[in-house]
């Protein structure tokens, strides 16, 4: 029978199953013995009690990630002592056979990351011993069958990233052993069922990336064991409930990309174990609660894309483990807190598109782990701190569309990992530092719409990874370095509205690899090509 299964299951994948080889040496076949749940061990960190299978009977079929391209054979239903069926991360096609309902001893059914289509068979509800059901990342359709509620031993349910429709079955509340529900990235509609309050052991609830409506049900405050709540990318409305602060075990709270209104509840400051808080792209207003400073384990804080006002609380500098801080796209005023220079774990700082004023604190130069710094679209004044030259991990620096003055510090040439550098739309003066020629990883350099003077440094021809160079709308003089036209990856060269002189370099005469070349409004001789 297994040889017939091989021919259907394998497709073009080689399997070493053959009649002249002992079955104990067949790939993925395990006989008898005690089985432990690998998936639950990965989730919980300790073994769940296993169950013993009879000797010389197939207890596990572990063929995950072996490039299977066939279909799932209905004959697998004859392996009645099977405890684990893992066919995940292959390229299996067709539907899930309803005959798998005969696997009465099955603990784990792992079919994720294939190309399976059709509905989830209602017959799977007969698998009374099933503890793990993973059907993630396929192309499954129709509604979640109500018969799933008959899987009374189920601990982990993952049907995320499919094309499932309908509502979330309230009947899931009957699964008293359930600890993980992953229904995200489907096409589910309706409201979050209030009945889910009955799942007292629930630790993870992910229904993000659906089309759910309504408010967060107040009954969910009963889920006191919840560690992760993912409700992002739906159409949820109302206020963010204050009672969320009562879920003291929460470590991950994602409510982004909904239609939540009103203020951020100060009670969220009571979530002492919280590591990630994402409220981006809602309609939240009011100020940032100072109580957030008590979230000392917080690593990610994203409040971008709202209507928040007031100043940035300097108390956020007490979040010593913070790695990602995004307040972009609000209406925040005041200055950039100098105390942020103490956030030495910070890797991303995005304060762009607000109404921040004042100078840029040089203390930000102490953020040695910083990879992304975006302050564009504010009203910042003063100069660029020379201390930024110490941000040697920096990959993106965007200070564009402010009111910065002074010159570009030559210390910026020390940012060896920089890939994106934009200062456009300020009031910067002086020359472009030749030291920038050392930024060999640079892909985008945009200094347009300033008051820069002097020549284009010939050192820039060493920027072999440069894709975009925009120096337009300045007061640059001298000739265009001929080597710019030979940069192998350059697609855009904009030098318009300067005071450049000399002859247009032959390297900029077609044919060349540039998609955009703009040399308008200069004082050069020869034919000026712009496209």
């Amino acid at each position: 029978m297994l040889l017939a299964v091989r021919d259907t299951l394998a497709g073009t994948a080689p399997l070493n199953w053959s009649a002249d080889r002992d079955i104990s040496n067949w790939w993925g076949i395990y006989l008898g013995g005690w089985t432990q749940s690998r998936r639950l061990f990965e989730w919980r960190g300790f073994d769940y009690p296993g169950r013993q299978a009879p000797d010389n009977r197939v207890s596990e079929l572990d063929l995950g990630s072996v490039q299977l391209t066939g279909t799932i054979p209905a004959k697998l239903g004859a392996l009645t002592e099977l405890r684990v069926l893992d066919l995940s991360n292959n390229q299996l096609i067709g539907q899930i056979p309803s005959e798998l309902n005969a696997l009465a001893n099955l603990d784990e059914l792992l079919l994720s990351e294939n190309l399976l289509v059709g509905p989830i068979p209602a017959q799977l509800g007969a698998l009374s011993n099933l503890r793990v059901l993973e059907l993630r990342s396929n192309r499954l359709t129709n509604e979640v069958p109500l018969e799933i509620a008959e899987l009374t031993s189920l601990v982990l349910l993952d049907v995320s990233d499919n094309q499932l429709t309908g509502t979330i079955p309230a009947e899931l509340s009957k699964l008293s052993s359930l600890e993980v529900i992953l229904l995200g990235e489907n096409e589910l509609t309706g409201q979050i069922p209030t009945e889910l309050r009955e799942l007292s052991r629930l630790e993870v609830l992910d229904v993000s990336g659906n089309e759910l409506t309504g408010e967060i049900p107040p009954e969910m405050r009963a889920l006191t064991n919840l560690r992760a709540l993912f409700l992002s990318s739906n159409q949820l409305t109302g206020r963010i409930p204050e009672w969320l602060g009562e879920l003291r075990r929460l470590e991950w709270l994602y409510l982004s990309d909904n239609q939540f209104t009103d203020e951020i509840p100060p009670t969220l400051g009571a979530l002492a174990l919280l590591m990630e808080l994402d409220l981006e792209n809602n309609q939240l207003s009011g100020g940032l609660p100072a109580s957030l400073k008590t979230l000392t384990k917080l690593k990610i804080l994203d409040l971008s894309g709202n209507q928040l006002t007031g100043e940035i609380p300097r108390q956020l500098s007490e979040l010593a483990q913070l790695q990602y801080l995004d307040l972009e796209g609000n209406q925040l005023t005041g200055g950039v807190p100098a105390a942020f220079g103490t956030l030495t774990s910070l890797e991303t700082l995005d304060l762009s598109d607000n109404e921040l004023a004042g100078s840029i604190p040089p203390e930000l130069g102490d953020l040695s782990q910083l990879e992304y710094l975006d302050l564009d679209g504010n009203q910042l004044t003063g100069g660029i701190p020379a201390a930024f030259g110490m941000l040697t991990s920096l990959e993106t620096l965007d200070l564009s569309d402010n009111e910065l003055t002074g010159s570009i510090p030559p210390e910026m040439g020390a940012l060896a990992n920089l890939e994106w550098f934009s200062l456009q739309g300020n009031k910067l003066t002086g020359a472009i530092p030749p030291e920038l020629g050392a930024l060999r990883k640079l892909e985008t350099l945009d200094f347009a719409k300033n008051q820069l003077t002097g020549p284009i440094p010939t050192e820039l021809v060493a920027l072999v990874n440069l894709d975009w160079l925009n120096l337009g709308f300045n007061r640059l003089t001298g000739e265009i370095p001929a080597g710019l036209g030979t940069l192998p990856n350059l697609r855009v060269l904009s030098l318009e509205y300067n005071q450049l002189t000399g002859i247009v370099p032959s390297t900029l005469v077609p044919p060349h690899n540039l998609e955009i070349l703009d040399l308008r409004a200069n004082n050069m001789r020869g034919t000026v090509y712009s496209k």
Side-chain angles (χ1 to χ4, degrees):
M1 188 273 292
L2 284 174
L3 291 177
V5 166
R6 176 200 64 186
D7 296 335
T8 304
L9 187 63
T12 58
L15 279 181
N16 72 340
W17 298 6
S18 64
D20 58 358
R21 185 189 298 267
D22 189 276
I23 190 173
S24 62
N25 294 320
W26 289 10
W27 292 343
I29 295 288
Y30 297 87
L31 301 177
W34 287 87
T35 59
Q36 298 291 340
S37 172
R38 291 187 295 275
R39 285 294 192 273
L40 294 180
F41 180 81
E42 291 169 3
W43 161 241
R44 299 292 285 145
F46 58 81
D47 287 337
Y48 272 63
R51 292 190 302 124
Q52 189 171 17
D55 293 341
N56 300 318
R57 299 292 296 274
V58 177
S59 60
E60 294 189 38
L61 185 55
D62 184 359
L63 292 174
S65 304
V66 295
Q67 302 178 350
L68 302 175
T69 61
T71 59
I72 301 176
K75 291 182 178 180
L76 286 177
L79 299 176
T80 54
E81 294 297 336
L82 201 63
R83 303 300 196 265
V84 177
L85 176 56
D86 185 356
L87 304 177
S88 61
N89 195 25
N90 285 291
Q91 300 174 45
L92 294 171
I93 59 175
Q95 299 193 12
I96 301 171
S98 59
E99 289 81 357
L100 296 184
N101 71 335
L103 301 175
N105 289 297
L106 200 64
D107 286 330
E108 299 189 10
L109 178 57
L110 313 175
L111 305 179
S112 294
E113 299 182 55
N114 280 288
L115 304 172
L116 301 173
V117 297
I120 300 172
Q123 293 84 346
L124 296 185
L127 302 176
S128 58
N129 286 301
L130 199 67
R131 293 191 291 184
V132 178
L133 176 59
E134 288 191 356
L135 307 178
R136 177 186 67 254
S137 299
N138 281 286
R139 300 172 182 175
L140 302 174
T141 54
N142 293 16
E143 299 185 0
V144 179
L146 300 182
E147 289 78 3
I148 293 291
E150 299 172 13
L151 301 175
T152 54
S153 298
L154 204 62
V155 176
L156 189 156
L157 171 63
D158 186 354
V159 295
S160 60
D161 192 19
N162 280 286
Q163 300 166 24
L164 300 173
T165 56
T167 59
I168 300 173
E171 289 78 2
L172 293 180
S173 62
K174 300 176 182 178
L175 302 177
S176 58
S177 296
L178 209 53
E179 297 181 11
V180 181
I181 300 179
L182 305 177
L183 303 176
E185 304 302 324
N186 281 289
E187 300 169 16
L188 301 173
T189 55
Q191 300 189 7
I192 300 171
T194 59
E195 291 83 354
L196 296 185
R197 67 179 181 273
E198 303 295 335
L199 299 174
S200 60
R201 299 182 62 178
L202 195 65
E203 298 190 16
V204 177
L205 175 61
D206 185 354
V207 295
S208 60
N210 283 287
E211 301 170 17
L212 302 176
T213 55
E215 300 187 4
I216 302 176
E219 291 83 358
M220 289 181 62
R221 71 195 307 167
L223 301 178
T224 54
N225 282 311
L226 211 58
R227 294 174 54 194
L229 179 59
F230 300 98
L231 305 181
S232 297
S233 300
N234 282 287
Q235 301 168 26
L236 300 173
T237 54
R239 301 183 61 180
I240 295 176
E242 293 187 3
W243 53 259
L244 285 176
E246 300 173 13
L247 304 181
R248 299 301 173 85
R249 296 192 65 195
L250 267 184
E251 299 176 34
W252 298 273
L253 178 58
Y254 278 72
L255 306 179
S256 60
D257 295 288
N258 280 288
Q259 300 169 25
F260 293 118
T261 55
D262 218 315
E263 299 185 354
I264 299 172
T267 54
L268 297 185
L271 301 176
L273 300 179
L274 201 65
M275 295 188 294
E276 299 181 12
L277 175 60
D278 187 351
L279 307 180
E280 68 173 310
N281 294 335
N282 281 285
Q283 300 168 26
L284 301 173
S285 56
L288 276 67
S291 61
L292 296 181
K293 72 177 183 179
T294 61
L295 303 177
T296 56
K297 293 185 180 296
L298 205 63
K299 296 182 179 180
I300 293 177
L301 176 59
D302 192 342
L303 307 178
S304 62
N306 283 286
Q307 301 163 20
L308 301 173
T309 55
E311 298 189 1
I312 301 173
R314 68 177 305 278
Q315 293 93 331
L316 293 184
S317 63
E318 299 177 27
L319 304 177
Q321 297 189 44
L322 202 62
Q323 298 174 3
Y324 183 102
L325 176 59
D326 191 349
L327 305 178
E328 174 264 335
N330 283 286
Q331 301 165 25
L332 299 171
T333 54
V336 178
F340 278 5
T342 63
L343 296 173
T344 54
S345 296
L346 206 60
E347 298 174 3
T348 294
L349 176 60
D350 191 345
L351 307 179
S352 62
D353 295 320
N354 280 285
E355 300 172 14
L356 301 174
S359 59
I360 300 174
E363 288 85 353
L364 298 186
D366 294 331
L367 302 177
S368 59
Q369 303 299 315
L370 201 64
E371 299 176 359
Y372 184 100
L373 176 59
D374 191 348
L375 304 178
D376 89 277
N378 283 287
Q379 302 164 22
L380 299 171
T381 56
I384 299 171
F388 277 13
M390 297 187 295
L391 299 175
T392 54
S393 297
L394 206 61
E395 298 175 2
T396 295
L397 175 59
D398 193 343
L399 306 178
S400 58
D401 293 318
N402 281 285
E403 299 175 16
L404 301 175
T405 55
S407 58
I408 301 171
E411 288 85 354
M412 309 305 280
L415 303 180
N417 289 300
L418 202 62
E419 298 176 1
W420 178 290
F421 190 9
S422 180
L423 302 176
Q424 69 92 18
N426 282 286
K427 300 177 181 178
L428 299 170
T429 56
I432 298 173
E435 288 83 356
L436 300 187
L439 305 179
R440 301 302 170 84
K441 293 185 178 181
L442 202 62
E443 298 176 4
T444 296
L445 179 62
D446 191 345
F447 292 172
K449 298 180 181 179
N450 281 285
Q451 301 168 25
L452 300 173
T453 56
I456 299 173
T458 57
E459 288 81 359
L460 297 188
V461 303
L463 303 179
V464 294
N465 287 303
L466 204 61
D467 172 81
W468 182 295
L469 177 58
N470 188 359
L471 304 177
F473 294 92
N474 279 287
R475 301 172 185 174
L476 301 174
T477 56
E479 299 184 356
I480 299 175
L484 290 182
T486 64
L487 289 174
N489 295 297
L490 194 64
R491 294 184 306 108
V492 176
L493 178 60
S494 295
L495 305 176
E496 73 275 19
Y497 289 90
N498 279 287
Q499 301 169 20
L500 300 171
T501 56
I503 300 174
V504 177
S506 60
T507 54
L508 297 181
V509 176
H512 51 61
N513 295 323
L514 293 173
E515 296 177 11
I516 297 176
L517 172 62
D518 197 342
L519 306 179
R520 292 173 297 150
N522 281 287
N523 300 314
M524 291 176 288
R525 290 176 287 135
T527 304
V528 177
Y529 292 88
S530 295
K531 68 173 185 177

